Amino acid sequence: MNNKKLLSFVLSAAMAATSIFPATVYAAVSGDINGDGSITSADLDILQGYVLGKHDITEEQFKVADINLDQVVDVYDVTALRKRILSTDRTLSFKSVTERINDGITDTLKKLDIQAGGTVVKSTAELKAALSPYFSETLVNKYLTKYNDDFFKDSVLLIKPAYFDPAKYTKNGTITKLSCGCDNSYAGLYTTGPTVDQGLNIRKEHDFNSASLGQIPPGEKFNITYAHGTANGDFGHVTYKGISGYVNMAYVTKLSSTAPETIAVPDLRVDSVKYSKGTVTVSATEYNANSTVNFAAAVLAQVVVPKKDYYASKAQWTVTTTTTTTTTTTTTTTTCAYPLAKARMEQKNIKTLKDAFIDCSNKNVTAVYVEWEKDASKITLQKAADYGFNSRNGNANAVAKGNCYVLAAMFCEMARLLGYDAHLINGQVPLKVGGYGPHGWVEIIENGATYVYDPDYTLESGENGFALTYGHTVWPLQKLGEIK
């Protein structure tokens, strides 16, 4: 089989249908924030960084980042972009390994059609189930060690076992190997190499330190029957004018071959990994590798795809796209996700999380009733924060006005601009008089731990409410974290 055959095997990503949203849902918004022509995790990184206040984006980027078309770029757009990435066709980056296997092959593998599909595995249990029908327990355990539980924390594995019928691939001739390690694949007519000017020693052993039994004059022709390589230190079996011994293969030149015809070794080369509508398609090429190693009837193609982005938890794999950028000189106008919070921080030189917390609580805010406070569904982060920032009427030293949601929202925006993963929480807490009342506070996740920041608690209790934990009893009316 000298012609290349293109293979295409479909690998199910085991994604629930509810995780996929039709591309037409987002047809009005590109989501291509970096402008590279594709919707990928690179765009998600830019959007998340912007929402967290780590960097600004241009006006044009702001337009395509407003995924839900509400004229605001916030965490809701992050969620929408994640969903859109799941519905966008794209090419995945991958690491491909193809191993030839001589032993441990079952009869089931011998019946496996080369065109048959591969399998996506996401755990050691799935890997064992996928390999066991085709390979021995010893071989399966080898791969379970190679791809252990730690591996599957970060990666998804796509595997494709294949069997090649020796009758279709083996050519005439058998490679014979001697006990010394030499084989007849190097057999042929040779002459001395161009650097031999006085004579080529015929050694007694496979060693240039062994005794010389004689020499082959420069330019003479001779036959080598067996060897184990052609590098310096590799020796070939030779008989010249009745003297049998070994010559250094680094100092000979092959004129013609008398070795058996080489064996074509079958292989699979993975060319691409692409995602579309919940399915991963791997395209591979079947070909005969140019090698003189012994024939291997089976191969196992392994495609490793990293799992490190948000949507990996739903799709069971992730996408890494390499983009090419060009440097151009342009004049752009940038916009901030939270302009009022940014302006306040510049006015008061707020540079730490505690400075931001104090500015949004204690003596800096006056508690007032806000007409929409009873309907938490109508309270957005920016709406609540803007109410508080605007209540100062441009006076940097004026006391702001607002309720618990306003205080928390102002602090949340400042925290994000400082680079923290902050979230405004709309919940209910138990009241001293019984029942529950609405309340708002902020969660900040740091190093996997969740901390609670409740500016309203500091205001009404006069105590230090900085960096609480859930279950902490705050002021007498509530116990934080009992959300209905």
Side-chain angles (χ1 to χ4, degrees):
M1 294 179 66
N2 295 320
N3 296 327
K4 295 182 179 180
K5 183 191 295 182
L6 183 65
L7 304 178
S8 181
F9 45 94
V10 178
L11 306 172
S12 170
M15 183 189 301
T18 54
S19 299
I20 299 297
F21 288 75
T24 54
V25 174
Y26 304 99
V29 180
S30 128
D32 181 16
I33 301 174
N34 65 1
D36 67 350
S38 59
I39 311 299
T40 68
S41 59
D43 301 296
L44 184 62
D45 289 341
I46 295 174
L47 179 56
Q48 288 176 322
Y50 171 69
V51 171
L52 291 175
K54 294 181 179 180
H55 56 74
D56 289 340
I57 58 177
T58 67
E59 289 181 348
E60 291 303 315
Q61 288 176 318
F62 188 92
K63 292 177 182 178
V64 297
D66 182 16
I67 309 297
N68 61 6
L69 298 176
D70 63 354
Q71 308 303 313
V72 177
V73 174
D74 54 19
V75 68
Y76 298 105
D77 296 296
V78 173
T79 300
L81 183 56
R82 286 168 176 163
K83 292 176 180 177
R84 179 158 192 200
I85 289 174
L86 286 174
S87 65
T88 304
D89 295 353
R90 57 201 181 277
T91 299
L92 314 185
S93 68
F94 64 93
K95 176 183 178 182
S96 178
V97 179
T98 302
E99 294 179 307
R100 300 181 180 93
I101 301 172
N102 282 302
D103 301 315
I105 302 168
T106 69
D107 290 337
T108 303
L109 179 62
K110 295 178 181 179
K111 299 175 183 177
L112 183 66
D113 191 317
I114 189 65
Q115 297 288 341
T119 307
V120 176
V121 292
K122 305 171 289 299
S123 67
T124 52
E126 291 183 9
L127 178 60
K128 184 176 181 179
L131 294 179
S132 293
Y134 306 118
F135 304 106
S136 66
E137 182 178 357
T138 301
L139 192 60
V140 172
N141 288 336
K142 168 189 172 183
Y143 285 104
L144 291 176
T145 301
K146 179 179 180 180
Y147 301 115
N148 55 22
D149 291 334
D150 288 337
F151 168 84
F152 286 110
K153 290 178 182 178
D154 302 316
S155 305
V156 170
L157 181 67
L158 304 98
I159 61 171
K160 165 63 181 174
Y163 177 76
F164 300 90
D165 185 353
K168 297 180 180 179
Y169 285 88
T170 306
K171 298 180 180 179
N172 295 329
T174 302
I175 301 297
T176 302
K177 194 169 186 177
L178 303 180
S179 60
C180 62
C182 296
D183 62 58
N184 59 346
S185 63
Y186 300 93
L189 180 65
Y190 288 78
T191 187
T192 57
T195 60
V196 176
D197 54 6
Q198 294 183 354
L200 178 64
N201 285 314
I202 302 175
R203 299 290 180 180
K204 184 178 181 180
E205 306 290 345
H206 296 73
D207 187 349
F208 53 78
N209 289 318
S210 66
S212 175
L213 302 177
Q215 286 189 334
I216 301 175
E220 283 292 293
K221 298 178 182 179
F222 51 93
N223 287 301
I224 290 178
T225 53
Y226 296 91
H228 57 86
T230 58
N232 189 14
D234 292 326
F235 280 79
H237 297 236
V238 64
T239 297
Y240 177 76
K241 291 187 176 181
I243 302 175
S244 295
Y246 309 93
V247 293
N248 193 325
M249 296 293 286
Y251 299 97
V252 300
T253 299
K254 193 172 189 177
L255 299 176
S256 62
S257 177
T258 57
E261 189 174 1
T262 58
I263 296 173
V265 180
D267 211 339
L268 279 178
R269 179 178 58 236
V270 177
D271 299 313
S272 68
V273 181
K274 295 185 178 181
Y275 166 80
S276 177
K277 299 178 181 179
T279 299
V280 179
T281 301
V282 178
S283 295
T285 304
E286 174 192 350
Y287 72 107
N288 293 348
N290 293 323
S291 175
T292 57
V293 299
N294 290 338
F295 179 81
V299 297
L300 182 64
Q302 305 141 63
V303 184
V304 178
V305 183
K307 181 178 65 175
K308 62 184 179 181
D309 288 325
Y310 166 85
Y311 40 85
S313 62
K314 291 187 177 181
Q316 306 303 337
W317 45 261
T318 188
V319 179
T320 305
T321 302
T322 302
T323 59
T324 302
T325 59
T326 56
T327 303
T328 58
T329 302
T330 59
T331 301
T332 60
T333 302
T334 60
T335 181
C336 176
Y338 313 117
L340 298 183
K342 183 177 181 180
R344 177 66 179 176
M345 294 172 71
E346 291 175 348
Q347 287 176 339
K348 304 299 290 184
N349 194 30
I350 295 172
K351 295 183 178 179
T352 68
L353 193 63
K354 193 158 188 175
D355 287 343
F357 183 84
I358 293 173
D359 189 66
C360 298
S361 60
N362 206 350
K363 297 180 181 180
N364 293 308
V365 180
T366 299
V368 297
Y369 173 77
V370 180
E371 60 184 8
W372 35 258
E373 69 175 331
K374 292 184 178 180
D375 189 354
S377 65
K378 295 182 180 179
I379 302 173
T380 65
L381 173 65
Q382 192 153 16
K383 181 179 180 181
D386 287 354
Y387 184 98
F389 289 125
N390 288 326
S391 68
R392 291 189 173 94
N393 295 318
N395 185 348
N397 295 317
V399 176
K401 298 178 181 179
N403 61 6
C404 58
Y405 295 111
V406 172
L407 275 62
M410 288 193 298
F411 171 69
C412 187
E413 287 192 352
M414 288 185 178
R416 289 183 178 183
L417 291 177
L418 289 169
Y420 291 88
D421 185 12
H423 305 268
L424 176 64
I425 307 299
N426 297 323
Q428 291 191 354
V429 292
L431 302 178
K432 186 176 182 180
V433 296
Y436 285 80
H439 190 59
W441 63 92
V442 174
E443 282 183 359
I444 292 182
I445 301 174
E446 295 184 81
N447 300 321
T450 300
Y451 297 94
V452 175
Y453 297 80
D454 186 0
D456 190 43
Y457 160 57
T458 301
L459 176 64
E460 300 202 27
S461 68
E463 299 178 22
N464 179 17
F466 188 73
L468 305 173
T469 56
Y470 276 115
H472 184 105
T473 300
V474 286
W475 46 285
L477 297 184
Q478 61 180 3
K479 187 174 183 182
L480 204 58
E482 298 186 28
I483 304 173
K484 293 188 70 178

